[in-house]
Amino acid sequence: MWPRRRARCVTGARGRVAQERAERKEPIDVRETDADIPVVVLSDGVVTLRPWSRDDAGFMTAAFADPAIRRYNGAHDRLGRPAPPLSIEDAEAIIDEFAASWRAFGAAEPPSGVAFAITDAASGGLVGCCGVDEWSKADVAQFGYWIGPRARGRGYATRAVALLTRWLFELGAARAFLTVEADNEASAAVARRAGFVHEGTMRAHSVWRGERIDVMWFAALPHEWTTREPDEPA
């Protein structure tokens, strides 16, 4: 039922896409056109979420050269060492995976692996990414997000998380959750502002350059989910 390979917006994209392609020595079977991707656009008038296009590969490549994104959102090996920065070809492969997941969603598959480009609603400029890592058989959705370095601190992430969460609940998600490494205070603050509850901390659940890292677990349920205004203090 589920797509065999899913590119994630927040973790391991290069390892799950570009590396798998290289190991199998075969291309991803997706069409070059975006015409058959479902048109899903979410907006609150300040932030707009839309599917990624291959035209966005340059932005993704630049974003994944940022130290914070490499630290918290990029692919790591088992010792927590980051993968090399993305090439344009790597970014295009990731975007192709997103497109394949959108096509599967359009064919009535769950939205696992779909990802939105986060844009400024007024200018259309790219600022980041959010997407569904997995939609389980129990209708539990896990997702993640990142914001490029030049757009941080403006409330984009909080608004994007609120838009994505509302969409997931409208699709029938019984629960939405995300994980944040314990030292990533900015991302944890976004989760709280977006109405997510800190349910606990998984000790030594991740690794960064050989050091074990605690990971916080945040979740929201549709019947109790509320959000604060993006400019309201955490």
Side-chain angles (χ1 to χ4, degrees):
M1 180 177 180
W2 309 105
R4 291 184 60 191
R5 293 177 289 113
R6 292 188 292 275
R8 300 190 179 188
C9 195
V10 287
T11 57
R14 190 176 195 274
R16 278 184 297 272
V17 181
Q19 184 175 337
E20 288 183 5
R21 287 181 72 178
E23 289 175 352
R24 291 194 307 275
K25 296 183 179 179
E26 62 182 41
I28 297 173
D29 184 17
V30 295
R31 280 172 282 178
E32 295 295 325
T33 179
D34 294 335
D36 58 338
I37 298 175
V39 178
V40 178
V41 177
L42 313 175
S43 185
D44 64 1
V46 176
V47 165
T48 296
L49 310 184
R50 60 160 175 80
W52 285 80
S53 165
R54 273 191 163 215
D55 292 340
D56 304 325
F59 172 81
M60 181 180 286
T61 300
F64 271 83
D66 173 66
I69 291 179
R70 294 188 70 198
R71 165 69 178 87
Y72 295 114
N73 307 108
H76 304 153
D77 66 15
R78 65 180 299 173
L79 297 179
R81 295 173 299 200
L86 297 178
S87 67
I88 290 290
E89 290 76 17
D90 293 331
E92 289 176 343
I94 292 168
I95 292 168
D96 284 348
E97 282 282 316
F98 292 160
S101 295
W102 276 115
R103 293 183 184 104
F105 174 66
E109 295 278 357
S112 293
V114 302
F116 291 95
I118 305 172
T119 69
D120 180 272
S123 69
L126 285 158
V127 300
C129 176
C130 62
V132 184
D133 294 336
E134 186 170 5
W135 183 292
S136 78
K137 293 180 180 179
D139 291 327
V140 174
Q142 179 181 5
F143 71 91
Y145 50 87
W146 54 260
I147 298 293
R150 296 183 179 180
R152 293 172 189 152
R154 303 180 189 178
Y156 289 127
T158 302
R159 289 180 177 275
V161 170
L163 284 167
L164 180 61
T165 301
R166 184 173 294 108
W167 183 67
L168 293 173
F169 288 155
E170 288 173 352
L171 290 178
R175 171 182 168 88
F177 78 93
L178 57 97
T179 60
V180 178
E181 293 201 2
D183 60 345
N184 191 352
E185 297 178 359
S187 190
V190 167
R192 291 188 174 97
R193 284 196 297 271
F196 281 68
V197 176
H198 178 214
E199 295 186 333
T201 298
M202 299 176 286
R203 296 174 296 168
H205 189 74
S206 184
V207 61
W208 172 248
R209 297 189 183 277
E211 179 184 356
R212 302 304 305 187
I213 305 294
D214 293 349
V215 175
M216 296 183 290
W217 190 288
F218 291 88
L221 305 179
H223 67 274
E224 65 182 21
W225 178 64
T226 59
T227 63
R228 295 202 294 270
E229 291 299 319
D231 58 351
E232 184 177 338

